[in-house]
Amino acid sequence: MNGLHLTADLYDCQQPSLLTDEAALQQLCLSQVELAGLKAVSACWHQFPASEAGPGGITGVVLLAESHLALHTWPERSGVTLDVYVCNFGADNSNKAESLLAALLAAFEPRQQQLGRLQRGDATTDHAI
């Protein structure tokens, strides 16, 4: 169960089309997953309808052989929340997760960001029940 869980809250993103264009966002995520050396095994995307607040955002998940990439766009706030989790069973995928997150940060070009990092699980302890 050990792995690295990275989160990012992005504010004032300078690439507004990525917040509302499902096809472009999907292509970005899948290509960056591959470039990071991770393996996508499935994906699911949902575009929310526009409202009086503005265009609808997008929620997407890319299931990875190593775990997942999840994101939610908030075009009315020029924001994005990102979640990159990789397990390190059999190999340390931490650098790949860091690379994926860095590429997505560069693509969205946020003026402000809040990053989180959580080491998941404990590989040194037997947790048998």
Side-chain angles (χ1 to χ4, degrees):
M1 280 185 9
N2 86 340
L4 179 61
H5 195 158
L6 303 173
T7 61
D9 297 339
L10 311 181
Y11 304 96
D12 200 12
C13 293
Q14 300 303 294
Q15 294 299 322
S17 64
L18 285 177
L19 307 182
T20 58
D21 185 337
E22 182 181 341
L25 186 58
Q26 187 176 143
Q27 176 59 36
L28 168 70
C29 291
L30 292 173
S31 66
Q32 293 306 318
V33 160
E34 184 177 349
L35 286 171
L38 298 166
K39 182 179 179 186
V41 295
S42 188
C44 184
W45 299 90
H46 177 76
Q47 174 107 41
F48 291 90
S51 70
E52 55 278 347
I58 301 166
T59 290
V61 177
V62 179
L63 300 178
L64 306 173
E66 302 83 2
S67 198
H68 70 265
L69 160 65
L71 61 101
H72 310 278
T73 71
W74 307 85
E76 69 278 11
R77 296 185 176 187
S78 299
V80 178
T81 57
L82 294 169
D83 188 277
V84 178
Y85 177 48
V86 294
C87 66
N88 289 328
F89 184 75
D92 187 347
N93 293 300
S94 298
N95 288 339
K96 294 175 183 180
E98 297 277 5
S99 175
L100 175 56
L101 183 62
L104 294 173
L105 292 174
F108 286 111
E109 297 180 33
R111 287 200 173 137
Q112 294 180 27
Q113 61 193 29
Q114 182 178 359
L115 305 178
R117 179 185 184 91
L118 176 64
Q119 203 61 47
R120 306 283 304 263
D122 183 352
T124 62
T125 305
D126 182 7
H127 294 284
I129 295 176

